[in-house]
Amino acid sequence: MIFKDKVAIVSGGSRGIGREIVLMLAANGADVIFTYLANKEAAEGLAREVEKLGRKACPAQLDSRDFNRSKELIEKTKQDFGRLDVLVNNAGITKDKALMMMAKEDWSSVIDTNLTGTFNLTRNAIVTFLKQKSGNIVNITSITGMIGMARQTNYAASKAGIIGFTKALAKEVASYNIRVNAVAPGFIDTDMVSGLKEEYRKSLAQNIPLGRFGKTAEVANAVKFLLGDESAFITGQVIVVDGGLSIR
Amino acid sequence: MQDIDTEIRDLIAAIIEKEPEKIGPETRFMEDLGVDSMMALEILAAIEKKYKIVIPEEKLPELATLSATVKIAREYLAGKKNEQS
């Protein structure tokens, strides 16, 4: 129970990697507030699963682009739970297109959700962490933000931005016993890649040294390590979970 | 018992590691004493803890001098008393 009685917020928690992180935190003793954009049913289903693990779960509808609603969520969490220990910024969307076909809206919505969304929750949580002189933040980025992928200029820019944000903030708040790290998944079996054609999936997997897509639990394990005391001397780092895809 | 001005002055002096005498009512924390935003937050947190009040973080930029800080603390202390009565 490495997170016993801790209170965690996970953005984009109802599906995929976020969902796995919510379950990992609850299984290790944390109460979890998680946000979702649209799928209320999935969110409520997950809340019931968390409660089966004996922990409190609180699904909250939130568009990550909304600064004021993000602020309200943090305030409400402090009111209801009396504290906040962990923030996992995971909410993210893709709108993949060749740059020549990319509308301004495709660019803005991805940057605003992924990068500004990370700012919105972190900005509103950081004063609490600074005051209590403890806190742990993990941002979910992507190998796309490190090595680039064609047709993902918007997504890659948002994820590279998250890495810069992580490193800068880690330096800024380290003396307050707050750690800030990032996890960069490669191809993971989630809804985000399930839309790909089987043949294309196979050819992608061939380029991964470990020969397969990753599992959401394998990403959650890296998050668990970064949030736990075993990584107490690690801050401002990016752990890549990609089966070796980005090895250069 | 010390008055609130002196209490807050001493508390700030301890956080910014300066002599209390160097902090006049209108001495500017940032310009004259080199207080940075993190120290300002520590001052806010220390006042909250000492007087068991909650000062919204939006007030942080207003904590620019001792007199302004004392005024804000008094304001929220008064609010707390009103709530209790």
Side-chain angles (χ1 to χ4, degrees):
Chain A
M1 286 285 183
I2 61 172
F3 306 127
K4 190 167 172 14
D5 296 332
K6 299 223 169 188
V7 176
I9 292 181
V10 179
S11 73
S14 68
R15 295 185 300 163
I17 290 169
R19 182 178 195 280
E20 199 69 42
I21 293 169
V22 169
L23 288 169
M24 175 279 292
L25 285 163
N28 286 282
D31 293 327
V32 191
I33 298 88
F34 62 92
T35 74
Y36 66 95
L37 182 60
N39 198 335
K40 193 174 179 191
E41 216 169 288
E44 284 172 353
L46 177 60
R48 284 192 293 274
E49 280 192 55
V50 169
E51 276 153 16
K52 271 188 216 157
L53 294 166
R55 302 308 313 184
K56 287 182 203 146
C58 184
Q61 194 284 328
L62 177 74
D63 185 334
S64 301
R65 295 176 291 185
D66 191 330
F67 182 84
N68 290 329
R69 293 273 334 275
S70 300
K71 182 177 177 159
E72 283 168 24
L73 178 73
I74 303 279
E75 291 299 325
K76 189 167 186 313
T77 301
K78 285 194 288 177
Q79 266 172 24
D80 294 353
F81 291 85
R83 55 187 294 147
L84 176 62
D85 305 288
V86 164
L87 173 63
V88 180
N89 287 300
N90 165 75
I93 58 166
T94 54
K95 291 209 171 169
D96 296 357
K97 274 172 197 172
L99 183 64
M100 61 178 283
M101 302 300 284
M102 192 178 286
K104 172 70 173 21
E105 167 58 20
D106 299 324
W107 170 266
S108 303
S109 60
V110 169
I111 296 289
D112 292 351
T113 302
N114 301 4
L115 180 57
T116 309
T118 296
F119 165 81
N120 287 343
L121 277 175
T122 312
R123 169 65 186 85
N124 284 306
I126 199 69
V127 173
T128 301
F129 287 161
L130 288 166
K131 278 188 190 168
Q132 67 194 21
K133 291 200 168 64
S134 71
N136 205 320
I137 301 169
V138 170
N139 298 320
I140 306 301
T141 174
S142 165
I143 55 158
T144 299
M146 305 170 80
I147 63 171
M149 296 268 174
R151 305 179 71 251
Q152 287 199 322
T153 49
N154 49 1
Y155 188 71
S158 74
K159 293 300 189 176
I162 288 173
I163 293 173
F165 178 90
T166 300
K167 293 183 179 200
L169 184 62
K171 281 188 180 169
E172 191 173 307
V173 299
S175 62
Y176 288 77
N177 188 33
I178 302 165
R179 295 191 293 118
V180 192
N181 289 289
V183 171
F187 289 112
I188 307 296
D189 274 318
T190 63
D191 294 352
M192 230 182 229
V193 295
S194 67
L196 305 173
K197 282 184 189 142
E198 186 55 32
E199 237 167 72
Y200 184 52
R201 279 170 63 95
K202 271 188 188 154
S203 76
L204 284 174
Q206 276 170 2
N207 289 324
I208 300 171
L210 287 177
R212 63 174 176 87
F213 280 30
K215 301 183 186 106
T216 51
E218 290 168 327
V219 180
N221 281 339
V223 176
K224 181 182 171 188
F225 170 68
L226 288 172
L227 292 177
D229 287 343
E230 289 188 352
S231 63
F233 200 49
I234 298 177
T235 195
Q237 301 305 309
V238 184
I239 294 189
V240 178
V241 183
D242 71 346
L245 181 61
S246 62
I247 295 170
R248 275 170 287 185
Chain B
M1 201 177 120
Q2 286 182 314
D3 62 37
I4 185 168
D5 296 66
T6 315
E7 278 179 358
I8 291 181
R9 187 191 68 174
D10 291 352
L11 184 148
I12 293 168
I15 291 168
I16 67 173
E17 296 177 348
K18 304 262 189 217
E19 297 298 317
E21 294 72 37
K22 294 219 166 108
I23 308 173
E26 300 304 328
T27 312
R28 295 169 304 173
F29 291 165
M30 286 193 174
E31 296 84 346
D32 303 332
L33 297 169
V35 171
D36 63 21
S37 56
M38 296 298 199
M39 284 180 196
L41 182 63
E42 289 205 30
I43 292 168
L44 179 121
I47 292 170
E48 285 186 331
K49 198 173 166 193
K50 185 168 178 68
Y51 299 106
K52 298 187 174 56
I53 53 177
V54 177
I55 302 171
E57 59 172 281
E58 287 81 5
K59 290 277 170 190
L60 207 49
E62 294 177 33
L63 305 185
T65 61
L66 178 60
S67 68
T69 306
V70 170
K71 184 165 169 266
I72 289 167
R74 282 189 199 280
E75 202 177 297
Y76 284 89
L77 265 169
K80 184 180 150 191
K81 279 183 191 133
N82 287 342
E83 258 174 42
Q84 284 168 345
S85 60

